[in-house]
Amino acid sequence: MPPETGQMLETTRQTNQNQKILAIEDDPDVLALYKSYLQKRGYEVLSASGAVEGISLLQSNPDTRLILLDLNLPGMSGEEWIAWYVQQGKQTPVVVASGKGDILTITKGNNMTAALTKPFHMEELQELIEVLLADDWHEQVSPDRKMH
């Protein structure tokens, strides 16, 4: 790795310190990829293999800044999880990542969710995370202007 790449990664790591991301994904390989990729960029990553575990982690970590959510989860679907989440009145942004065709319908109509259709490049996820963790993310992502 060229020295300047290492310096950029270190600067990114320091900028992202104390930025907690909750990843809810039932595929252990995808969860490991999220965790490895995001931790290298300095994020603290909490991981849950199911929706109920995700709820528990979110409740015990109210300082979570972003949630990565798969729709195809055991026990409680991602759609049900989003319904629960919206009912709680929480404002933490949610990135819904799924191979399901109706992902855009599920995320439409609220400004707390953004959609990523699997498969996607991790760089796409990183860009979306940076937008959603910006202080003015509500203005950048509105119900009428979804990031897809």
Side-chain angles (χ1 to χ4, degrees):
M1 175 169 31
E4 56 276 355
T5 304
Q7 290 169 345
M8 287 186 339
L9 197 54
E10 185 57 37
T11 301
T12 302
R13 241 187 251 134
Q14 290 168 357
T15 304
N16 295 334
Q17 276 183 333
N18 305 319
Q19 301 236 29
K20 206 176 280 187
I21 295 176
L22 169 60
I24 307 171
E25 168 65 61
D26 64 324
D27 183 324
D29 294 333
V30 174
L31 200 54
L33 177 63
Y34 286 161
K35 198 166 187 169
S36 168
Y37 183 86
L38 294 170
Q39 284 177 338
K40 283 180 186 169
R41 279 144 190 83
Y43 296 105
E44 181 180 345
V45 182
L46 307 170
S47 54
S49 58
V52 175
E53 183 185 358
I55 288 172
S56 177
L57 276 172
L58 184 60
Q59 289 173 331
S60 60
N61 293 276
D63 58 337
T64 299
R65 295 284 317 274
L66 184 123
I67 300 156
L68 285 174
L69 176 69
D70 181 38
L71 287 184
N72 199 13
L73 295 168
M76 174 191 244
S77 72
E79 292 96 328
E80 293 169 321
W81 195 94
I82 289 171
W84 167 84
Y85 182 77
V86 169
Q87 191 175 28
Q88 304 304 304
K90 300 197 180 293
Q91 295 296 311
T92 305
V94 179
V95 174
V96 179
S98 181
K100 282 182 133 184
D102 57 354
I103 187 171
L104 301 180
T105 305
I106 293 159
T107 60
K108 194 173 183 179
N110 72 65
N111 66 349
M112 287 186 300
T113 58
L116 264 181
T117 303
K118 291 179 180 174
F120 56 83
H121 293 283
M122 292 304 286
E123 291 77 14
E124 293 175 89
L125 175 62
Q126 176 64 33
E127 287 174 18
L128 188 53
I129 288 171
E130 287 172 10
V131 168
L132 294 173
L133 290 180
D135 291 335
D136 63 347
W137 75 270
H138 275 289
E139 293 157 26
Q140 294 183 49
V141 181
S142 72
D144 300 326
R145 199 172 130 222
K146 283 284 176 200
M147 298 192 77
H148 299 296

